[in-house]
Amino acid sequence: MTLRKALLSWFDKHARVLPFRGTRDPYAVWVSEIMLQQTRVDTVVRYYDRFMNRFPTPQALAEASEDEVMSHWSGLGYYRRARLLHKGVKEVVAEYGGVVPQDATARRQLPGIGRYTAGAIGSIAFEQEEPLVDGNVARVFSRLYGIDTPLGRSDTEKALWARAEQLVRGPRPGTLNQALMELGATACSKANPDCAACPVSKHCIAFKEGRTAELPVVRKKTPPKPTPTVALLATTKAGHVYLQRGDKNLFGGLWNLPMADGSTHADADALLAQSPLRGRLPSAPSAQLTHVLSHRRLEVQLYQLIASGAEREDFKAFPPETLAELGVSTLTRKALRAAGL
Ligand code: SF4
């Protein structure tokens, strides 16, 4: 059996049942593929239905406020993805009457749609012969074809996409792409691939040469940099919590506790002085938290205080019961939990 046929018939029998699978709605495919980038499938499963129930169409998402979109994304991380999805969908509504373009070039020009997402929408929703390579496919191809240059390097990327382009040609391109991703997510896992259960083992160079543990060649990652941080958990006398809209790069524009680099009481005092808040800092932090972002490990000293202060567009006090509906960062949720709020 050819490699292509083996993959298709394996997927037909063994594909996992997932809430976002089986749809040909390009908007639904777009949402699920953006969620699946850098987030585990079991986490996405918990968020996808809730998101789609609230924003079932491009129009519904385009009309929603950024805060509402963020509150439905909160917990999935990498918030920049959500902002770009929102922006891209708004453009689809404004420019294409809410219909995701079938033309690959037009699709690629939308905010937040890179080569991978364009390929996923094109192949799965429109059944067009558009290739895709994600982390799972890269691992499968590296092993299958014995690609031994490091992942992420331009020559490796070129080789992987060339293989994807070659393989996607033929009937059922969307199913073929999903089969490759599924194989990478199941049998062809990072550690201990289950080659005995693999439908394409007889085509696989790594399997034949006993090199499955060596491939793919992974570039060394730099560990997240420890970053001492001070944060203020300031509440009004009525118990409303002061939050500020965060740095778009770090927290994707979510609401956060006021925070700054630093580790000492003086650093926290300076943060308080620079904020619109008036209040007295306690002599010691009330809690210490650690929060890992993609490149930084925040080591947070949390100071809790009663304060007052002028409100601004990007700095407000919120009643605790409204926080669940607000786009609040995971770090801030952790801090509120630590303080019993
Ligand atoms: Fe992956 Fe093993 Fe299948 Fe090769 S034979 S593609 S290493 S699971």
Side-chain angles (χ1 to χ4, degrees), residues 309-326:
E311 300 212 352
R312 306 187 309 224
E313 184 63 17
D314 62 346
F315 199 106
K316 291 181 186 169
F318 295 94
E321 63 275 15
T322 64
L323 297 179
E325 289 305 308
L326 201 66

Side-chain angles (χ1 to χ4, degrees), residues 140 143-144 183 187-188 193-195 198 200-201 204 206-207 212:
V140 171
R143 289 172 171 164
L144 208 47
L183 185 64
C188 198
D194 186 1
C195 302
C198 177
V200 292
S201 57
C204 178
F207 175 63
T212 56

